[in-house]
Amino acid sequence: MAACSLAAASLPTILPAKTVAWWRFENGLPNEAVTHATAAGAFDGSTPDVSGNGNHLSAWSQGGGSGFAYRADVPFPAAPQDGTPNLRSIKNTGSYPAASTDATASAPTGVNIDTFTPPRWTVEVCYKPEITGGHRTVLGRDARDIATGNGSLAALYLQIRPDDSVGIAFTDVSGYFHSAFSPPGWMYGFVFGSDPEGSAAPWYRLAATCDGSTLKMYVDNVLVASTDLIASGSPNRALAKGSASGGDWKTGAWSVGRGLYGGGHVDRAYGLIDEVRISDEALPLNRLLGAPQPGVVEFSVAGNMATAKARGGAPGGLG
């Protein structure tokens, strides 16, 4: 594939008005390491933010134990909303994958996602998980000492838990911690030893929305969990960013492929990741990435009892 074709494929023809960051991982060849020209851990920013806001993403290293490599395995060949080609995803090259933003280094020219505290938002990721038996945070936001009662919690986790439930958890600017998780057994993955590329495993489209009143979690356009935020009593339910940073992370920064707990990098998300998008509004179903067009019917766990019964009971806990 010619380099010019790859560059063209990385630029969507239509961007939703409220997209503040979108990492598509289109600027590389299959099995090529995601570029990181600087020292390990230093911000590189070689994964462009195609939203135009300048919130670029940096792998921790070029390949190796903490890097990623491109794959031609993708969740959908083109975005249904506008037909934008989707040619690449990324996969961890070692046991410590990590990528993150750094507004200080990338100097965003539009909305700065490291500093904003939106009252309404949507986060989306396409993920093909490797089975690990632990927490897997596909998208997170770094912070600590912001949640009342547990200073180890970060600002946001979009993750799979050890019981294979999937959901969203976040801390608001008032210090309240909110979550919405599916029943256990909702996600299935691949075993690295027998299927290292996950060729027989499914892709999942994960999306979480918050409109300030309700937190919702979707998997493949199915509503799998919903939480009433008003019932918490929080006076301000906007997403927190924190104020104190650590030695190898900055408060408010977003992470792909790992989470943060107690100020340490944890919850590595092994597997394939694609189409990571952050919006500063609660998107309707028909505007989510990969949503069928035209029109989408919102199914839920409660409204689709056969599916819910087959996939398990009550959610487990976050840690």
Side-chain angles (χ1 to χ4, degrees), residues 20 35 45 82 90 117 121 144 149 190 192 217 225 232 239 244 264 303 319:
V20 295
T35 301
D82 61 11
I90 57 170
T117 56
W121 45 267
R144 69 172 303 175
F190 63 92
F192 182 82
M217 181 69 209
S232 70
L239 176 61

Side-chain angles (χ1 to χ4, degrees), residues 144-154 171 175-177:
R144 69 172 303 175
D145 298 325
I146 56 172
T148 302
N150 188 351
S152 293
L153 290 167
T171 304
Y176 287 68
F177 186 70

Side-chain angles (χ1 to χ4, degrees), residues 195-274:
D195 185 14
E197 289 298 320
S199 58
W203 276 96
Y204 293 95
R205 298 188 303 276
L206 311 181
T209 68
C210 176
D211 63 4
S213 300
T214 306
L215 181 65
K216 294 181 178 182
M217 181 69 209
Y218 296 93
V219 179
D220 295 337
N221 305 312
V222 174
L223 179 65
V224 300
S226 180
T227 298
D228 179 2
L229 300 179
I230 296 176
S232 70
S234 174
N236 189 337
R237 297 175 293 278
L239 176 61
K241 68 174 181 64
S243 58
S245 300
D248 57 3
W249 58 272
K250 293 186 177 182
T251 192
W254 294 76
S255 62
V256 173
R258 68 152 179 86
L260 193 81
Y261 188 81
H265 296 191
V266 295
D267 306 341
R268 310 287 178 165
Y270 305 143
L272 284 77
I273 298 173
D274 196 14

Side-chain angles (χ1 to χ4, degrees), residues 127-132 136 160-161 163-166 183-191 198 200-204 206 219-220 270 307-312:
Y127 184 41
K128 179 182 283 196
E130 179 186 333
I131 297 171
T132 65
R136 285 154 284 175
I160 302 173
R161 299 188 293 189
D163 63 1
D164 292 327
S165 59
V166 61
W186 202 269
M187 303 290 288
Y188 302 89
F190 63 92
V191 177
W203 276 96
Y204 293 95
L206 311 181
V219 179
D220 295 337
Y270 305 143
T307 301
K309 184 177 180 180
R311 291 186 171 177

Side-chain angles (χ1 to χ4, degrees), residues 36-87:
H36 185 94
T38 54
F43 184 80
D44 183 272
S46 62
T47 297
D49 167 22
V50 303
S51 76
N53 286 296
N55 294 299
H56 305 311
L57 186 71
S58 175
W60 185 267
S61 64
Q62 184 160 320
S66 302
F68 296 90
Y70 294 104
R71 292 293 188 266
D73 184 352
V74 293
F76 40 80
Q81 288 93 337
D82 61 11
T84 303
N86 183 27
L87 303 176

